[in-house]
Amino acid sequence: VERFRALTPSEFFYRNKELAGFSNPARALYQTVRELLENALDATDSHLIKPVIKVIIKRDEVNEKLFSVSVEDNGIGIPYTHVPKAFGQLLYSSKYVLRQTRGMFGLGAKMAVLYGQMTAGKPVEVVTSPMLSRRIYFFKVAIDVKTNTPRIVERGSYVKGSGWHGTIVKISLEGDWMRSKSKIYEYLRRTAIIAPYADIVFEDPEGTVVYFERSIEKLPVPPREVKPHPKGVDIEMLKMMLSSSKAKSLKEFLVREFQSVGEVTALRIISEAGLDPTLSPREVDSSGVERLVEAIKSDNRIKPPKGDHLSFVGPEIIEAGLKSVLRPEFVSAITRRPSVYAGHAFIVEAGIAFGGEIQPSDKPILYRYANKIPLLYDEGSDVARKVVDSIDWGNYGVSFPAPLAVLVHICSTKIPYKGVGKESVADVPEVQKEIELAVREVARRLRRYLTKKRREREEAER
Amino acid sequence: VERFRALTPSEFFYRNKELAGFSNPARALYQTVRELLENALDATDSHLIKPVIKVIIKRDEVNEKLFSVSVEDNGIGIPYTHVPKAFGQLLYSSKYVLRQTRGMFGLGAKMAVLYGQMTAGKPVEVVTSPMLSRRIYFFKVAIDVKTNTPRIVERGSYVKGSGWHGTIVKISLEGDWMRSKSKIYEYLRRTAIIAPYADIVFEDPEGTVVYFERSIEKLPVPPREVKPHPKGVDIEMLKMMLSSSKAKSLKEFLVREFQSVGEVTALRIISEAGLDPTLSPREVDSSGVERLVEAIKSDNRIKPPKGDHLSFVGPEIIEAGLKSVLRPEFVSAITRRPSVYAGHAFIVEAGIAFGGEIQPSDKPILYRYANKIPLLYDEGSDVARKVVDSIDWGNYGVSFPAPLAVLVHICSTKIPYKGVGKESVADVPEVQKEIELAVREVARRLRRYLTKKRREREEAER
Ligand SMILES: Nc1ncnc2c1ncn2[C@@H]1O[C@H](COP(=O)(O)OP(=O)(O)OP(=O)(O)O)[C@@H](O)[C@H]1O
Ligand SMILES: Nc1ncnc2c1ncn2[C@@H]1O[C@H](COP(=O)(O)OP(=O)(O)OP(=O)(O)O)[C@@H](O)[C@H]1O
Ligand SMILES: [Mg+2]
Ligand SMILES: [Mg+2]
């Protein structure tokens, strides 16, 4: 006899934590560091704050399998009313809006808290103060897994004695430092490449302190929130938007709720769907919704999203990052114009670095990024690896083994990740095409450099 | 100003449907067929019913982008009280118990319903009748995405005129038959290899009817539900089990709630944790729970799970399946003894097929299965591909190109899938090791056959 049951999101992700990257103590330690660091960077560079971040991993003095991971940032802080849910309720987030951020799932911090709770039995410790707040708030939060609600174990606040603003998050968990050490250092190194404007201090369990020093003062353009684009719409989304819109007419609804839709476009879509533009949004019936979606899909005159809301890194910062970390002989980067997939604008950036201190390898070393997050695992199923491997590098003057590194960065209001652990990107055709165009462009610049170098060498030999 | 928000599971998976395999119309059509077929097979062979399944994909007469997918089975049916949630509420399942089934997430059918709702605007149609029921029940169900609750659009029942039992599920959705045709046929073909005891009729949108006929009468041993094994326990799980257990003492709790724990083992664990065996489960405090988990982890005398609850396919059925579908010259299969990872017993089975109608290829064709589900995508990041590629096939008398197919099947109460779309398995060390031992064993048998064949040929030539 089948026993039916419903799970809460916390029960579901507790049972399937490996889906989120928490598959064993070594991966869990890595994932905890990255989830907290990504939150810290979102809280700073997305708000034009030059990030100053401290990451400390300590080994427990009693139980050598236990570690504490602490990440402090100088970001915008978290309003105290939201702290319990931000850390104690799965699927709770401030990043569910249409804006390019590292975070997108509302799971990262909670999965780390959950893993810590399962393996070390301790609540997460959060200290935070928003910029305009006169107080500093501290919490100890645990997740009630059965109900997906936060349990506040301890809370308090005190008056701020300084101008400090930001957040400190500390999680205790079972880890495996020896097995995750190289991946954690590589993650930090790759973060320094894509975010050379960040000051990151890292103290590891062996007491080693590494300072990834800011090497450029320039910050990327911060991301802006945008309205959805009509080409990303489906029947369900349109129904939800129609029922919650404050617009008084169908025409006002389309112009107000979507980007790239002016009066002319709205009237054309409405007429194509055989509807009355003065209809109240809530009066559109199911068949009307379907005809609207159909009209939008078949309309070829709707302008694509501009993409100027995206926060690309830019060639200057990428080259500075590659130079500072890889110390190559040659470096070049490119930022492509915005493109679109499924109604989401995206920008592909590519960088190439050659020679200098780069170690020769049998195929290009690939530095993959999505919304400024370094992706280290599952390279084999990532679209960027597929593109880089499909290129005949001999055409660009490169014969392996060669000291060649390729950087690929995709930014978008929605990254088509293959899993909630954010390790690889699906091969969406539009994205794959843009990556290829970007990589071939920087490869051509490398070829020009190698050709020029070879000629200079031949010249010198005469 | 950050806008915080909570999502329901339906809102989350609606926004991130590509995580579940619904990334575009072609993949969605494929995923819908497989999710429904996997439910149909779970409802039959896990209950010792020889599956008779009909899969029909029709193209909409008006809109050539729309399809209906209908799957009918002769399974155990669904009790009518559970139908609305089974199809209209995400994270609702009868497979959240510790038993080896294809289903495990409580998402499959709902994701297909959701995709159909978004792209075709139609509810799912379900007709079902449990074996002992005198009525046939029918429903049209939609998902209220905002609240993750079912909306019953239509319902009814009538008296059964025959002995029919089973379920028919029909979903309308946007698809792309031309792009998913070969994958759908391959999925059915691979299902026929692993389940040659199933009768599957498939009618495609072009009107073609293919009959995957039962080629063996033997069914696999059905899976049994088991209690959790102590080696899979963590602090959170133990807390939840202690608070919900009906046991009167801590000793009774351990013996009753876990497999492989008798009185002696229970007393040893309790004493190691410094606790009183007569303590009521609900009186164990946080520190006591941590000490219990620690005692269990460091105890080396707890028997590993027996694994006799697992439903392996067995060499006879695997060889029959490989013969019937691939028509090779040589075939051999092996079922390994149960092994363990993270407290879950698992069995690896391997099959090898050579020559005959198999087309030569540059590396072995890999047929991957997990809990009898064929895995077709993301082969590059799957542990089985990693193992098969790491083997030097020259040692076994195979030089490529060669007509060689390798089958790998992992069965367990928990498959470490990399994503909820069930396409690839993570490389858990214990599982990887078992796959290698199994594949090398059937490779040795192939070598013996090839050697014998070569000798016979040399003999004949003299
Ligand atoms: N260091 C921080 N500074 C400011 N806000 C933070 C910080 N850490 C977490 N938050 C807030 O808590 C929320 C939840 O974080 P969490 O990592 O769980 O989800 P997310 O970042 O929104 O999405 P993802 O699962 O993709 O990481 C964030 O959306 C953010 O609003
Ligand atoms: N054809 C069927 N016959 C009997 N029961 C079914 C059938 N299809 C669905 N069900 C029931 O509906 C439940 C939900 O199915 P669904 O596919 O959504 O989740 P699942 O199979 O439990 O897990 P997964 O997401 O891994 O597929 C199943 O657990 C099962 O109880
Ligand atoms: Mg986050
Ligand atoms: Mg299912």
Side-chain angles (χ1 to χ4, degrees), chain A residues 1-9 11-19 47 63 65 76-79 82 86 89-97 99 104-107 114 116-122 143-146 151 174 225 232 234-240 286 290 293-294 297 378 380-381 414-420, chain B residues 1-9 11-19 47 63 65 76-79 82 86 89-97 99 104-107 114 116-122 143-146 151 174 225 232 234-240 286 290 293-294 297 378 380-381 414-420:
Chain A
V1 159
E2 300 285 295
R3 296 207 306 282
F4 286 83
R5 183 181 165 193
L7 292 187
T8 57
E11 286 175 312
F12 177 79
F13 282 106
Y14 162 73
R15 291 161 64 104
N16 298 296
K17 58 189 96 48
E18 64 284 344
L19 296 177
H47 304 275
N63 183 342
K65 285 191 184 156
I76 56 166
I78 307 166
H82 294 291
Q89 178 171 319
L90 274 70
L91 306 186
Y92 194 81
S93 166
S94 64
K95 299 166 197 168
Y96 285 144
V97 296
R99 180 189 59 188
M104 65 184 275
F105 293 125
L107 286 172
L114 196 45
Q117 210 169 293
M118 291 167 44
T119 57
K122 294 214 185 92
I143 300 172
D144 184 327
V145 177
K146 199 168 185 318
R151 196 164 51 80
E174 181 183 1
E225 185 179 342
D234 59 75
I235 296 169
E236 194 60 34
M237 183 196 280
L238 198 53
K239 281 182 179 170
M240 293 197 266
S286 277
E290 291 178 37
V293 173
E294 197 49 43
K297 282 197 178 158
D378 291 349
S381 58
K414 178 170 165 128
I415 299 288
Y417 287 114
K418 289 194 152 198
V420 296
Chain B
V1 160
E2 299 285 296
R3 296 207 305 281
F4 286 82
R5 185 182 164 192
L7 292 188
T8 57
E11 287 174 311
F12 177 78
F13 282 105
Y14 162 74
R15 291 162 64 105
N16 299 296
K17 57 190 96 49
E18 64 283 345
L19 296 176
H47 304 273
N63 183 344
K65 285 191 185 160
I76 56 166
I78 307 166
H82 294 291
Q89 180 172 317
L90 274 71
L91 306 186
Y92 193 81
S93 167
S94 64
K95 300 166 198 171
Y96 285 143
V97 296
R99 181 189 58 190
M104 65 184 276
F105 293 126
L107 285 174
L114 195 47
Q117 209 166 293
M118 291 167 45
T119 57
K122 293 214 185 95
I143 300 173
D144 185 326
V145 177
K146 199 167 187 316
R151 194 164 53 79
E174 181 182 1
E225 184 180 342
D234 59 74
I235 294 169
E236 194 61 35
M237 183 195 282
L238 197 53
K239 281 183 180 172
M240 294 199 261
S286 276
E290 290 177 39
V293 172
E294 197 49 43
K297 282 197 178 157
D378 292 349
S381 58
K414 178 169 165 125
I415 299 288
Y417 287 115
K418 290 195 152 200
V420 296

Side-chain angles (χ1 to χ4, degrees), chain B residues 35 39 95 103 108-109:
Chain B
E35 293 292 357
N39 286 344
K95 300 166 198 171

